Amino acid sequence: MSEQSLQPGTSQWIGKPMRRLEDARLLSGQGRFTDDVSLPNQVHAAFTRSPHAHAKIAGIDIAAARSAPGVLAVYTGADIVAAKLGPIPFTQMHKRPDGAEMTVPPRNALTSDVVRFVGDAVAMVVAETREQARDAAELVEVEWEPLPANADLPTAAKGDAPVHWPAAFVPEYGNIAAFYRMGDAAAAKSAFSSAAHVVKLRVVNQRVIANPLEPRALAAEFSAGRFTLYCPAQNTHTVRGQLAKVFGLGEDAFRIVCTDVGGGFGARGYAYPEHAALLFAARALGRPVKWRADRSENFLSEVHGRDSIVEAELALDAQHRFTALRMRSIANVGAYVSNFGACVPAMSGARAPTGVYAIPVLDHEVRILFTHTTPVDAYRGAGRPEMGYLLERLVSTAARELGVDPIELRLKNLVRADQMPYKNPAGAEYDCGDFEKILRGAMKAADWEGYARRKEAAEKRGLLYGRGVGCYVEITGSARTSETVALSIDAEGKVTLISGTQQIGQGIQTAYAQIVSELLGIAPEAVHIIQGDTDIAKTGGGAGGSRTLQIGGSATLMGARALIEAGRELAAKELEAAGTDIEFVEGRYRIAGTDRSIGLAELAGRQPERRLRIEHTETAAGQTWPNGCQIAEAEVDPETGVVQLARLTAVDDIGRVMNPLMAEGQVHGGIAQGIGQAFMEQSVYDETGQLLTGSFMDYAMPRAEAIPDLETGFDQTVPSALNRLGAKGVGEAGCHGAMPAAVNAVLDAMGTRGLKTLDMPLTPEKIWRVLHPT
């Protein structure tokens, strides 16, 4: 295959449904996760955590813990202060209502003065074994002075709410962390005053927990003046940069290593207090320190997701065209500002507040608030599914109130393909897309015309039956649009690719191997991918925002082309020909029109280092806008409240598809998470800030029985021109469309019983109580 070939369908590897290269190793138990790391002479850490949501630390007695068997040291917040470690940094994207910079409570390795959520770490015990450390951590005695606490989001916005961080509290806004406003309030007011119809809706996007299969784990070492930290991470370079700031050192003093990762979902993209605490202990003791959270500890201390409430209004004219959108949101950042915590409610989702619809006027306000709960950060989609869910619920509500067909209402208001590139009222520009084609494609795939027959059959069985639609568009690629790769081939034909992106279970290693194999004319199995070590991959943007293929894959593609070009002149010398006469086909350089040739591996073997190696940096022209549509059909048993999704169809435009098997898997996984939030997942606190859903006994996760047979497909007719592959993100698409489609289907089914709205999760109990009011 020529090095210029790229079109799926005509390629040997690109666009083919190849199974993941890493699967055999992982499924046979040969994966290496952070807890598999065992360092010579290592010791183990355990944390003492606050049982209070808000309390002053009046004193800590560590004597009993320090004298327990095997204990080497007990550290408290005072030790962190004495060592002059700084707080964990976060991304400051937004300001306060008065325009001032955010003011936040410091999130230190160990808390020294006031705890702000149940699970806040106040002491760390280091012992010879994990069991000894855990036992001794229970012996740390803390004298607490409880303070008023609040775990309720609406209460946090009130002037009489318990004060979280005095410097941030403002009576008008309550416990305000950050404030966001976008749009034209005056124009919106005018549009609403002249509107023929106004539709209002209040939507709760409940708090959820990522729950990666792999619990959090760390292994820290300090040697020869440098720190090494093993951790499951979506972005090793972000972790390195944050820890360098905590310790006040240069980034070259830190090596961050990520082995196999058992899931990320947004929760593993940055440093936590435990990262800094373990490095501190490793330096203090001169021995490696290891820690693994148990599942309950994960529930308490790993960031949660979502948690927002939006009150929205949609203005329509007499012809049912959307004329303005007004939204007032409150969002929960939790006890401390985690890395993207204050960005998510007004970041990626806020750049597409009008979704796939041509709504000319916007008035959008978000208040980001502190509560005495676990910090909140990115969760699959990071703001985009929240916005998409609101919009699709709002549009379906408008169709019902107006008595019009929900498809016709959508078609009338979609951004047209001939309007691309389209700038929405938030100032973001969609580069390409054909939203109508995607919607119609989803209708065809879902057998739209056969719905009445299926509904009639369900009703004969005593079930309520409904259908819901969820259209979406989202920005992907993250703010970092550059990646550097190093690519080499040795005399034996082994190719090594070094990339600063990160494999977290999405199969990117296989996709990279397909790209390299396509261009170099070798088997994918011959490609060795190195990621997750900041000493080897010096820079990189990791995995997040569905960026890896479109950014890292484009760098891989152009890196492979650069390697071919580097070898062309060398081949010309070996073959005693002009470089312009050399062509590269199926792994060999050949003088055009002759049979004289030399293989790429053979050429590498003739070099002084017996290899060819290049580095290439590729920058995408911008972030991409994947879009899609999901259609769900749901059965509701009115006697039990049990919902069963009968069908779910998804058609997505993710640009050019490198591997349809893996892309389909990404959509399926996202749909499963969307269904989980729609019907069962919810993190719940009581009025004192105690987490009531602190284990899988209380926090429900989607199982196979909750997922219907999925009909998924891709439309590749509108590739993006913003990157070399024409790719758009796929990792979060399924989650984005599933929630509104599924919920709209249930509300449609229950519409005959007078139900107009219901907030997630739509549990059987919640549905039964609505159908059987006391």
Side-chain angles (χ1 to χ4, degrees):
M1 184 64 62
S2 165
E3 69 266 28
Q4 298 302 319
S5 298
L6 183 61
Q7 294 296 328
T10 64
S11 305
Q12 182 178 3
W13 298 113
I14 290 177
K16 297 299 188 291
M18 177 180 165
R19 291 189 178 275
R20 300 193 312 178
L21 295 172
E22 59 270 30
D23 281 350
R25 176 176 60 83
L26 294 172
L27 293 173
S28 60
Q30 299 178 61
R32 185 171 184 255
F33 298 87
T34 298
D35 196 49
D36 295 317
V37 174
S38 183
L39 301 173
N41 203 31
Q42 71 184 12
V43 292
H44 297 263
F47 292 91
T48 301
R49 298 183 182 276
S50 170
H52 297 279
H54 194 201
K56 181 179 179 181
I57 302 172
I60 296 183
D61 185 349
I62 64 172
R66 184 65 185 85
S67 61
V71 172
L72 301 171
V74 180
Y75 301 108
T76 68
D79 297 302
I80 301 300
V81 172
K84 297 183 179 180
L85 267 63
I88 304 296
F90 65 94
T91 303
Q92 293 210 36
M93 182 173 286
H94 305 299
K95 298 183 183 296
R96 294 177 54 74
D98 61 0
E101 295 293 331
M102 292 172 60
T103 176
V104 305
R107 192 183 186 201
N108 294 316
L110 295 170
T111 298
S112 62
D113 50 6
V114 176
V115 294
R116 292 180 171 83
F117 73 101
V118 174
D120 215 345
V122 299
M124 175 178 59
V125 176
V126 183
E128 293 289 351
T129 70
R130 183 171 185 260
E131 292 72 21
Q132 289 172 334
R134 286 165 62 90
D135 288 344
E138 295 183 2
L139 300 177
V140 175
E141 296 184 6
V142 185
E143 182 183 349
W144 302 103
E145 293 182 4
L147 299 170
N150 172 57
D152 180 65
L153 178 56
T155 299
K158 297 179 180 179
D160 59 353
V163 176
H164 185 93
W165 178 243
F169 188 85
V170 179
E172 181 183 353
Y173 296 94
N175 291 289
I176 190 80
F179 181 86
Y180 169 89
R181 174 176 282 282
M182 175 62 70
D184 189 331
K189 182 178 180 180
S190 175
F192 276 95
S193 65
S194 61
H197 310 280
V198 174
V199 179
K200 300 181 180 181
L201 186 67
R202 180 182 186 269
V203 163
V204 176
N205 218 288
Q206 81 273 27
R207 176 181 286 234
V208 293
I209 302 176
N211 283 319
L213 187 62
E214 177 191 15
R216 284 202 293 149
L218 302 167
E221 186 176 24
F222 184 77
S223 177
R226 291 191 80 215
F227 292 101
T228 298
L229 181 69
Y230 295 84
C231 61
Q234 293 176 234
N235 191 330
T236 53
H237 299 92
T238 292
V239 173
R240 180 182 65 181
Q242 290 178 313
L243 292 172
K245 291 179 180 178
V246 169
F247 283 84
L249 299 171
E251 291 190 8
D252 58 356
F254 297 83
R255 178 192 180 199
I256 311 299
V257 182
C258 179
T259 55
D260 289 317
V261 179
F265 311 119
R268 300 282 167 86
Y270 27 81
Y272 283 79
E274 293 89 349
H275 290 61
L278 256 73
L279 290 175
F280 166 79
R283 182 174 65 178
L285 292 171
R287 294 178 66 178
V289 183
K290 187 175 178 179
W291 169 70
R292 185 189 77 239
D294 60 27
R295 185 57 66 177
S296 292
E297 201 171 11
N298 248 46
F299 272 93
L300 282 175
S301 62
E302 186 162 60
V303 296
H304 295 181
R306 310 289 193 234
D307 205 347
S308 63
I309 301 172
V310 186
E311 295 186 356
E313 298 176 275
L314 179 66
L316 299 88
D317 64 18
Q319 287 73 46
H320 298 163
R321 294 196 181 277
F322 305 156
T323 60
L325 176 65
R326 182 158 53 207
M327 294 177 286
R328 294 294 180 264
S329 305
I330 54 174
N332 197 342
V333 78
Y336 300 99
V337 180
S338 182
N339 186 57
F340 294 122
C343 305
V344 167
M347 182 181 64
S348 49
R351 283 179 281 179
T354 53
V356 296
Y357 304 107
I359 305 176
V361 178
L362 171 71
D363 180 8
H364 186 194
E365 178 185 296
V366 182
R367 301 184 183 195
I368 303 164
L369 301 163
F370 290 113
T371 61
H372 295 106
T373 61
T374 300
V376 177
D377 208 304
Y379 176 84
R380 199 166 191 164
R384 286 109 72 192
E386 294 95 310
M387 188 64 69
Y389 175 73
L390 167 69
L391 280 172
E392 290 304 290
R393 285 284 314 279
L394 191 59
V395 172
S396 289
T397 299
R400 183 176 63 251
E401 291 187 4
L402 296 172
V404 299
D405 182 272
I407 294 297
E408 291 304 316
L409 184 62
R410 285 175 167 85
L411 289 172
K412 182 175 290 186
N413 287 282
L414 290 175
V415 176
R416 302 188 312 275
D418 62 11
Q419 292 177 280
M420 297 293 179
Y422 173 82
K423 182 171 286 189
N424 68 26
E429 185 174 277
Y430 306 164
D431 64 310
C432 62
D434 191 337
F435 303 152
E436 179 178 343
K437 183 179 182 183
I438 296 299
L439 173 56
R440 293 190 183 279
M443 292 173 63
K444 180 178 179 180
D447 184 24
W448 189 265
E449 300 304 323
Y451 168 73
R453 181 180 66 255
R454 295 187 292 273
K455 180 179 176 68
E456 181 181 4
E459 290 175 342
K460 287 181 179 179
R461 292 184 281 120
L463 302 175
L464 306 177
Y465 199 84
R467 176 170 59 185
V469 178
C471 297
Y472 83 91
V473 62
E474 62 178 11
I475 189 168
T476 63
S478 84
R480 180 162 183 161
T481 55
S482 292
E483 280 293 339
T484 297
V485 297
L487 190 63
S488 64
I489 183 169
D490 65 18
E492 285 69 46
K494 178 182 177 182
V495 174
T496 299
L497 174 73
I498 299 171
S499 171
T501 58
Q502 185 61 49
Q503 165 76 5
I504 57 171
Q506 79 279 50
I508 197 63
Q509 292 175 325
T510 300
Y512 287 173
Q514 288 179 265
I515 294 169
V516 172
S517 300
E518 182 70 43
L519 269 68
L520 300 190
I522 59 174
E525 292 77 8
V527 182
H528 177 54
I529 312 294
I530 297 177
Q531 297 174 307
D533 188 331
T534 57
D535 273 9
I536 299 175
K538 304 292 186 181
T539 65
S546 300
R547 72 180 298 275
T548 46
L549 182 65
Q550 57 183 298
I551 310 298
S554 293
T556 298
L557 172 75
M558 300 311 294
R561 288 181 174 171
L563 183 67
I564 292 169
E565 290 306 312
R568 193 183 303 275
E569 290 303 317
L570 296 173
K573 293 180 181 178
E574 292 288 340
L575 298 174
E576 298 179 331
T580 54
D581 293 332
I582 301 296
E583 61 183 12
F584 183 78
V585 180
E586 296 180 353
R588 300 189 67 81
Y589 293 99
R590 177 181 293 109
I591 301 175
T594 75
D595 60 359
R596 294 182 60 204
S597 66
I598 185 171
L600 181 58
E602 180 185 355
L603 181 65
R606 295 187 184 185
Q607 305 312 306
E609 296 183 352
R610 293 183 55 78
R611 67 169 184 168
L612 284 174
R613 184 182 188 278
I614 62 93
E615 286 192 7
H616 179 81
T617 299
E618 184 68 20
T619 300
Q623 296 172 264
T624 62
W625 296 89
N627 57 91
C629 177
Q630 292 187 30
I631 298 174
E633 295 182 15
E635 300 173 342
V636 180
D637 186 338
E639 298 303 316
T640 64
V642 171
V643 173
Q644 183 65 51
L645 283 182
R647 301 163 64 93
L648 197 149
T649 303
V651 174
D652 289 282
D653 167 12
I654 60 169
R656 288 204 178 100
V657 180
M658 295 298 107
N659 185 319
L661 182 65
M662 292 196 304
E664 191 173 45
Q666 286 290 295
V667 172
H668 286 189
I671 288 173
Q673 280 188 258
I675 290 173
Q677 184 172 357
F679 295 120
M680 61 201 74
E681 293 190 52
Q682 184 174 21
S683 177
V684 179
Y685 288 87
D686 69 10
E687 65 277 4
T688 68
Q690 294 293 325
L691 181 65
L692 301 180
T693 50
S695 76
F696 289 132
M697 293 292 290
D698 305 297
Y699 186 96
M701 295 281 284
R703 301 183 180 185
E705 63 186 10
I707 314 300
D709 289 338
L710 303 176
E711 183 72 29
T712 57
F714 301 108
D715 186 307
Q716 300 187 56
T717 60
V718 191
S720 176
L722 298 178
N723 62 74
R724 299 286 187 169
L725 290 174
K728 306 173 187 178
V730 66
E732 292 142 313
C735 194
H736 197 154
M739 289 192 296
V743 173
N744 279 337
V746 173
L747 294 177
D748 182 53
M750 297 175 66
T752 57
R753 301 294 183 93
L755 182 68
K756 295 182 178 180
T757 186
L758 196 64
D759 283 314
M760 302 183 292
L762 305 187
T763 62
E765 179 185 0
K766 186 181 290 186
I767 290 174
W768 186 89
R769 289 188 182 279
V770 169
L771 294 175
H772 301 273
T774 55

